[in-house]
Amino acid sequence: MSPTDRAPGGLMREPDPTGRFGDFGGRYVPESLVAACMELEQEFRVAWADPAFHAEFEHILSSYGGRPTPVTECARLSEQLGVRVLLKREDLAHTGSHKLNNVIGQTLLTRRMGKGRVLAETGAGQHGVATATAAALFGLECLVFMGEVDVERQALNVFRMRLLGAEVRTVTSGSRTLKDAVNEALREWVACVETTHYCLGSVMGPHPYPWMVRELQRIVGDEARDQCRQILGGADPDYVVACVGGGSNAAGTFAGFVDTPARLVGVEAAGGAAIGHGVPGVVHGMKSFFLQDEAGQILEAHSISAGLDYPGIGPEHAQLAAAGRAEYPQVGDAEVLEAFQLLSRTEGIIPAFESAHALAWVVREARWAIPAGATVMITLSGRGDKDAAQAMEHLG
């Protein structure tokens, strides 16, 4: 049974016919993009109901992408924190993050739609590297927009994208980060929509992207649920934790556990906490929570992590927060650096700064709020090689 065959209604199911998750989501795009969004929705519906599409998607992810990724039990870290920590190891997927799952699915759709070019936006560079990788695999042209600030702090990933044959176009407007890269990608898509697919990297943007990307990423949560039950004798973890910027790895993870008793925790960067400090608004084709001033102008987000340096959040996370099914606490940069070092030294695993946000919340809460002996599953969304130079600047 495919995920979309499940009963309608409830949380983390199909959005309503207008693409909304409760009060959030929708499709707020220029008239010139409406047809492209509708074509993509129709193509995804047909493909996602097609066993042959699933077979090819899953074959590529296993034979090329390294799935299933393992769940690692962290004995030394667990002993130190007093809680049982399990890591879902998306850092071990090809290209070093969960991003490849979504991109392989979207490039398969690109081929079905007869388009020969993909464009993307990226913050930390992980989605850009994944898109450039899939474009090389499928023989597609690839253009990636990246803010000037992120180009400087993620120089290694810029080199990797160019090595894979992609054009990386630096965005110098606004805050010169992910928000501005999304703006430029949307403008470019308007100009070349007939020949180009916009391979959006997270559970954000106009319908069908938030729904489609969550479905392409639910493989993370489905695998993790089954693997945890094998480790825990049939039980589910007490806590399921993931970092949240736009929220793709958290959405994929939560989709596997939303029907279990596990507490779902999406950890935001303190300087980019859209749920924590934002208000409802319409940006980048969707209604969700955004950091805004009293006049409705978007405020700049800040995070040590380029991947979480975004002033909004995917609309389905807004619904999960409104329904009380998931909670969205915040951590600061200093806590992230502490967690970054702790996992490296106790388990020999260097996490991406994004993933270190999720770990930082567990480290903090294990000291007083998480009951001793509780089981905590954290999705390690990416590896920290890309952040090594930046960490060296902070840690010496």
Side-chain angles (χ1 to χ4, degrees):
M1 181 176 70
S2 76
T4 47
D5 290 331
R6 296 174 181 177
L11 294 171
M12 306 207 82
R13 299 293 194 270
E14 189 173 324
D16 73 17
T18 66
R20 291 176 179 274
F21 303 95
D23 292 334
F24 305 98
R27 181 186 289 152
Y28 300 87
V29 294
E31 188 175 354
S32 55
L33 290 182
V34 170
C37 289
M38 294 179 69
E39 177 194 20
L40 180 60
E41 178 186 354
Q42 177 62 21
E43 199 66 51
F44 178 66
R45 285 186 182 281
V46 173
W48 208 232
D50 181 357
F53 180 87
H54 277 273
E56 185 171 14
F57 176 60
E58 291 164 11
H59 172 71
I60 294 172
L61 289 182
S62 63
S63 65
Y64 181 78
R67 302 210 73 85
T69 58
V71 166
T72 298
E73 181 148 17
C74 300
R76 295 190 65 228
L77 180 64
S78 298
E79 181 179 3
Q80 186 159 333
L81 297 181
V83 299
R84 189 174 180 181
V85 178
L86 307 172
L87 298 181
K88 177 58 175 170
R89 301 291 306 280
E90 292 302 291
D91 59 313
L92 296 180
H94 182 44
T95 73
S97 80
H98 69 294
K99 293 292 187 181
L100 192 70
N101 309 320
N102 168 44
V103 167
I104 290 296
Q106 289 202 45
T107 47
L108 285 171
L109 292 172
T110 303
R111 190 179 66 184
R112 287 172 68 107
M113 291 186 288
K115 298 183 179 182
R117 182 173 181 257
V118 291
L119 66 88
E121 81 301 323
T122 195
Q126 289 172 311
H127 175 59
V129 169
T131 305
T133 298
L137 179 66
F138 285 84
L140 303 172
E141 291 183 42
C142 181
L143 169 63
V144 180
F145 290 92
M146 192 170 188
E148 187 175 33
V149 171
D150 296 333
V151 166
E152 292 173 359
R153 59 182 173 177
Q154 297 293 340
L156 176 60
N157 273 342
V158 173
F159 175 76
R160 292 170 72 195
M161 285 183 268
R162 288 174 172 155
L163 184 65
L164 290 160
E167 177 189 351
V168 180
R169 197 169 294 177
T170 303
V171 177
T172 59
S173 59
S175 61
R176 298 170 295 144
T177 57
L178 179 58
K179 169 178 70 69
D180 309 290
V182 175
N183 289 340
E184 291 303 318
L186 284 168
R187 289 192 187 98
E188 175 72 15
W189 195 29
V190 170
C192 58
V193 67
E194 296 297 328
T195 61
T196 302
H197 170 63
Y198 179 14
C199 188
L200 212 157
S202 194
V203 286
M204 46 183 273
H207 179 62
Y209 282 103
W211 167 52
M212 178 180 70
V213 176
R214 178 252 284 168
E215 287 297 284
L216 294 172
Q217 292 289 6
R218 76 157 48 239
I219 193 169
V220 178
D222 287 346
E223 279 182 9
R225 181 194 59 237
D226 294 344
Q227 291 165 321
C228 285
R229 286 177 178 175
Q230 290 180 10
I231 294 170
L232 301 174
D236 295 305
D238 298 306
Y239 295 80
V240 172
V241 187
C243 63
V244 175
S248 65
N249 95 88
T253 301
F254 291 175
F257 290 93
V258 70
D259 294 328
T260 76
R263 280 179 62 176
L264 307 181
V265 182
V267 183
E268 296 189 294
I275 295 288
H277 302 304
V279 295
V282 175
V283 178
H284 292 154
M286 62 181 177
K287 181 181 179 183
S288 190
F289 279 92
F290 295 92
L291 301 178
Q292 302 173 73
D293 64 18
E294 294 179 352
Q297 297 298 307
I298 297 299
L299 300 172
E300 290 187 10
H302 164 76
S303 171
I304 193 172
S305 163
L308 304 187
D309 203 351
Y310 182 69
I313 191 168
E316 193 166 25
H317 286 294
Q319 185 200 28
L320 289 171
R325 180 62 187 95
E327 51 200 288
Y328 294 85
Q330 307 152 38
V331 297
D333 288 351
E335 295 172 288
V336 170
L337 283 169
E338 178 189 350
F340 179 83
Q341 296 174 87
L342 180 63
L343 186 65
S344 300
R345 292 173 180 175
T346 57
E347 299 293 340
I349 299 169
I350 302 175
F353 276 167
E354 290 83 359
S355 310
H357 281 70
L359 182 63
W361 180 83
V362 174
V363 171
R364 184 179 72 198
E365 300 301 309
R367 292 169 179 155
W368 66 280
I370 300 177
T375 53
V376 181
M377 201 289 292
I378 305 170
T379 295
L380 202 71
S381 58
R383 68 185 184 213
D385 308 42
K386 67 183 181 57
D387 297 317
Q390 194 182 353
M392 191 163 59
E393 292 178 7
H394 289 279
L395 301 173

